[in-house]
Amino acid sequence: MVKELEKSGIPTAHITNMTPVAKVTGSNRIVTGVAITNPCSDITLPRDEQERMRKKLIERALNSLAEEVSGPTLF
């Protein structure tokens, strides 16, 4: 899905902990996540720490959208 959105001119950021799969499938902006089941936070942490972690990942993903890339790039 990410690859198709990019083809139509919509920049996307893919948050995943499966970075090798994201590279192979053609994701351009890859933001390394935490876990397969919860890519945006560590559910073993207290809620306030989870929220900080999510905010940091979303900010990283949003910042990656401003970057020009020519292929799979890790952020």
Side-chain angles (χ1 to χ4, degrees):
M1 180 189 260
V2 171
K3 191 173 178 178
E4 293 303 315
L5 288 169
E6 288 275 350
K7 278 185 189 177
S8 48
I10 301 169
T12 58
H14 186 178
I15 301 174
T16 181
N17 74 326
M18 297 174 58
T19 55
V21 175
K23 285 181 182 179
V24 169
T25 58
S27 294
N28 284 331
R29 293 170 190 84
I30 305 165
V31 178
T32 305
V34 179
I36 292 173
T37 56
N38 300 295
C40 291
S41 81
D42 180 349
I43 60 172
T44 64
L45 296 174
R47 182 140 179 106
D48 59 330
E49 290 182 40
Q50 287 183 44
E51 289 172 2
R52 280 194 296 276
M53 180 180 280
R54 287 183 194 126
K55 183 178 179 181
K56 185 176 178 180
L57 278 168
I58 296 301
E59 286 174 348
R60 190 178 323 155
L62 289 172
N63 289 333
S64 76
L65 296 174
E67 298 291 325
E68 192 66 38
V69 295
S70 60
T73 306
L74 288 173
F75 289 91

